[in-house]
Amino acid sequence: MMMKYKTWIGAILLLLVNMPAYSFDSVGEQIDHYLKILEKGGHASKVQMLERLQWSGLSDPRLYDEIEKQLLEQYQNEELDKYENSLLSHRARALGYSGNEKYRNSLAQVNKAAFQKRVRQHAKKALSELDKYKNWNRMIAESDITIEGKSVEVTTYIKMLNVNDTFVQRQAARAIYHEVQEDPDLLALVAERLEGLYLQDN
């Protein structure tokens, strides 16, 4: 019985990880949707959205200020259940994805004083990634590629695949896989990048 239960839970988690993303016409629309999830979404949808920020290229404080607010309101709460503490960890990590220096003090505070060890660990990781994401998000934002008729996500991943940084390209590949992206132009660019990389020694 326990094995069947674990198998069922695993199937649900796999479905969530590979759930196709919404398609947005503008970054503003994308951020509005994410803010709505932060306000009214269930646990799974919040976790999924926070995890996907790592390959979003987003750094807009309009989104991350709300994530910071929710983190600071609860990081010392000793009465949170495991799901709420899981969300706190994801919120802390997401601030690192912003690449925005304004969140460094809050992350340092959470790293030092959060009630849960896991939350402290995620805040520490976010601190270590802040400068990296600052550079990566800047590279994506500075791309002069313009594509008509593509969603925000597809456009972002095309920009990422054209950035001369293998980590940024890797993040784009992860996004395409987890979000089950099927845009033919995007997949053609993936194939082109793969052909250029797979025989390299490093």
Side-chain angles (χ1 to χ4, degrees), residues 134-177:
K134 178 181 180 180
N135 291 329
W136 294 328
N137 290 345
R138 177 183 51 77
M139 291 181 200
I140 298 166
E142 289 178 353
S143 171
D144 58 0
I145 294 173
T146 56
I147 307 164
E148 294 293 331
K150 302 292 185 186
S151 68
V152 168
E153 297 94 331
V154 168
T155 300
T156 298
Y157 305 148
I158 289 175
K159 288 181 177 181
M160 292 171 75
L161 288 167
N162 280 288
V163 167
N164 188 27
D165 185 292
T166 52
F167 180 86
V168 176
Q169 293 180 13
R170 176 173 172 247
Q171 289 293 76
R174 291 184 66 205
I176 292 163
Y177 169 75

Side-chain angles (χ1 to χ4, degrees), residues 6 11 14 18 21 23 28 31 59 84-85 98 100 108 113 117 120 130 134-135 154 156 164 169 186 193 198:
K6 288 182 178 179
L14 185 62
N18 288 303
S23 181
I31 291 174
S59 57
E84 291 166 327
N85 278 310
S98 75
N100 197 322
K117 180 180 179 181
R120 296 196 300 271
L130 204 57
K134 178 181 180 180
N135 291 329
V154 168
T156 298
N164 188 27
Q169 293 180 13
L186 179 60
R193 292 291 172 266
Y198 83 102

Side-chain angles (χ1 to χ4, degrees), residues 65-76:
D65 281 357
E66 181 60 29
I67 295 172
E68 177 190 40
K69 175 176 173 261
Q70 293 181 359
L71 175 64
L72 295 179
E73 284 175 347
Q74 295 189 312
Y75 76 102
Q76 289 185 314

Side-chain angles (χ1 to χ4, degrees), residues 27 31 40 49 54 61 71 96 104 108 121 130 132 157 189:
V27 172
I31 291 174
K40 299 180 179 179
M49 182 273 288
Q54 64 187 291
L71 175 64
R104 186 175 296 278
Q121 290 173 334
L130 204 57
K132 296 175 184 177
Y157 305 148
L189 184 56

Side-chain angles (χ1 to χ4, degrees), residues 70-103:
Q70 293 181 359
L71 175 64
L72 295 179
E73 284 175 347
Q74 295 189 312
Y75 76 102
Q76 289 185 314
N77 189 337
E78 301 179 16
E79 299 180 357
L80 298 180
D81 62 28
K82 64 180 181 179
Y83 298 105
E84 291 166 327
N85 278 310
S86 170
L87 273 177
L88 278 184
S89 297
H90 283 91
R91 288 182 184 118
R93 191 70 181 274
L95 290 184
Y97 303 148
S98 75
N100 197 322
E101 187 66 26
K102 71 178 289 189
Y103 304 116

